[in-house]
Amino acid sequence: MQPLSSVVTERADTALIWKVGAVAVMGSFLSQMDATVVNVSLPTLVRDLHSNLSVMQWVTSGYLLALAFMLPLNGWLVDRIGARRLYMICLSTFTVSSALCAAASSAEMLVAFRVLQGLSGGLLAPMAQLMMARVAGKNMARVMGYATLPILLGPLVGPVIAGAILQHASWHWLFLVNVPVGVVAVLCAMFLLPNDEAERNPRSLDLLGLAILSPSMVLFLYGADHVRERMGLALLFVATLCFVLFVRRARLRGDDALVDLKLFHGTFRVAAMTQFLSNGAVYSFQLLLPYLLVRQMGLSPAKVGWLLVPLGLGMLLVYPSNGWLQERFGIRRLAVVGASIVALTTIPFVLMPMRGLSIPVLVVALFLRGMGQGAIGLPSITAAYLAVPRRELPMATTSMNIVQRLGGPTLTTLCATLLAWGMEQGTQPVAFAWVFGFLCLINLAVVAATLRLPLRASQADA
């Protein structure tokens, strides 16, 4: 029989996990949802604020670039002022900036307030992972599923919520809706988040490292989004040089670097590589498939949107049960099976440009692919956070989020460049077949990476 004291302790730990999880998920969900909530409203904003699309697109781009700019500061800020205090500051600033966005009377004001919103929201997702990883203990596999679910759901439901709001109210409510949720989240954080003053480990800020890494991430993401322009290519080149310079400098500084590169060994390095490749494959596929269906198959954007629903349903089917699946089958086996499913379900899209569209094949392949994608990310994240000492979790969440943020644009840029080159060299169907074939190779690389993950959580080299 289990001792009464251990039962009480286990119940207390479970209650703490749920408290921290409820607070962390609210903030993370808001920041991720706001990354896409404005997309469908750009024509409305252009009309109501008497602007043009070239200016208004910075309402989205400025937010995303601000998110990326803040990521490298996460680890240092947590060590400096504590996770609880930092989370409350970021969430409060995000809530206030949401109200300011709603009150904006010009396009320039809205862009400025969106940048402020992005600067504060950029830390909410990694902070959610950090706080839940700290309290997870042996429940890491189950807990991380809830910590990362908002990152998956937020961008998906953003356009849906925006469409419903614009149908019944003005664009101001796209931002005002954040205010009551943000106020409740701040109050919950005050009373439910544990005091983590003892976890603080103040260290000096690597100002030169910050001056190199943060701008290089912004330049890289902007350049990747404008890769077909000469300026975009130039920015990608400059960003790459900055990354090389940062890595060289960080190796020399060791523990004093903005990002401690010594974390990237053993299980953490394998998990980071898995995240980089799998995120890149996901973003590349999400870019290529709609382009194939609209340009090659002649479908309308609205129909393409409905055809992509099975992909999300497959992911949502696997995500909630990820913890149980990891405990039942182990980290490596689950991730390998998921990566293999994704690789196999890419093959129909290699053949589709040449043989034509089959709706049943498309729906089944997307549903299975969604299930596979849902089985890759969480096992590798769980392995990564279990592989580092507790005191290194702030740096680990910072590093992992940077890797995740860079994986998508890097491989998407490669695929977009290959597709453009293929269309210049031959026919459109052949170009699409080649680029999906390249995506197959990326997915096989993901399979190879997952084969090096630990068998089970207990074998992660913490």
Side-chain angles (χ1 to χ4, degrees), residues 23 27 30 86-96 124 182 185-186 189:
V23 177
L30 283 178
L86 177 61
Y87 188 77
M88 290 175 61
I89 291 173
C90 290
L91 194 52
S92 300
T93 306
F94 184 87
T95 304
V96 171
L124 291 176
V186 171

Side-chain angles (χ1 to χ4, degrees), residues 117-400:
Q117 193 183 38
L119 291 174
S120 55
L123 299 183
L124 291 176
M127 287 294 297
Q129 294 180 23
L130 166 63
M131 292 188 296
M132 295 185 73
R134 278 181 169 178
V135 299
K138 65 181 181 180
N139 298 304
M140 181 72 77
R142 295 179 183 271
V143 169
M144 291 315 298
Y146 296 106
T148 56
L149 190 59
I151 301 176
L152 169 69
L153 289 181
L156 293 177
V157 304
V160 177
I161 292 176
I165 289 174
L166 292 175
Q167 187 175 356
H168 301 286
S170 69
W171 64 266
H172 304 81
W173 285 95
L174 294 172
F175 306 104
L176 285 175
V177 72
N178 293 336
V179 176
V181 179
V183 170
V184 171
V186 171
L187 292 175
C188 289
M190 291 175 60
F191 295 104
L192 299 181
L193 291 183
N195 191 318
D196 64 336
E197 288 294 317
E199 304 268 2
R200 290 172 55 194
N201 182 29
R203 54 190 174 90
S204 60
L205 176 61
D206 179 12
L207 285 172
L208 183 56
L210 178 65
I212 296 172
L213 184 57
S214 285
S216 64
M217 286 190 64
V218 172
L219 291 176
F220 184 84
L221 294 176
Y222 184 82
D225 196 41
H226 296 77
V227 69
R228 297 182 183 179
E229 305 168 13
R230 185 174 299 177
M231 178 60 72
L233 288 173
L235 292 178
L236 280 177
F237 179 73
V238 172
T240 303
L241 289 180
C242 289
F243 282 132
V244 172
L245 178 62
F246 176 82
V247 169
R248 183 176 181 181
R249 186 174 183 280
R251 285 178 174 174
L252 294 175
R253 287 184 63 90
D255 295 340
D256 294 328
L258 185 67
V259 175
D260 187 359
L261 297 183
K262 292 198 300 293
L263 281 176
F264 289 88
H265 72 276
T267 297
F268 190 88
R269 180 175 60 191
V270 173
M273 181 57 67
T274 303
Q275 283 289 301
F276 181 88
L277 291 171
S278 61
N279 273 27
V282 167
Y283 280 93
S284 298
F285 184 80
Q286 290 175 345
L287 166 76
L288 294 173
L289 182 60
Y291 198 57
L292 169 69
L293 295 178
V294 172
R295 178 152 183 177
Q296 175 66 27
M297 303 301 175
L299 301 182
S300 67
K303 188 171 184 179
V304 170
W306 281 107
L307 287 175
L308 292 178
V309 169
L311 181 68
L313 291 178
M315 295 181 71
L316 292 176
L317 180 66
V318 172
Y319 247 76
S321 57
N322 222 283
W324 177 84
L325 289 171
Q326 287 185 49
E327 293 172 0
R328 177 70 175 82
F329 300 105
I331 285 177
R332 182 191 299 172
R333 191 176 301 171
L334 177 61
V336 168
V337 170
S340 300
I341 292 174
V342 172
L344 289 172
T345 54
T346 308
I347 296 175
F349 300 99
V350 179
L351 304 175
M352 196 176 295
M354 310 296 292
R355 297 188 177 182
L357 176 64
S358 170
I359 298 295
V361 171
L362 175 69
V363 170
V364 172
L366 287 178
F367 181 74
L368 293 175
R369 186 182 186 87
M371 293 179 64
Q373 288 178 188
I376 301 172
L378 288 180
S380 56
I381 291 176
T382 300
Y385 293 158
L386 286 172
V388 298
R390 181 183 175 88
R391 67 180 182 278
E392 298 289 348
L393 279 174
M395 186 67 74
T397 53
T398 299
S399 303
M400 190 58 68

Side-chain angles (χ1 to χ4, degrees), residues 46 51-59:
V46 168
S51 183
N52 56 67
L53 191 59
S54 62
V55 173
M56 200 56 66
Q57 62 92 19
W58 281 100
V59 174

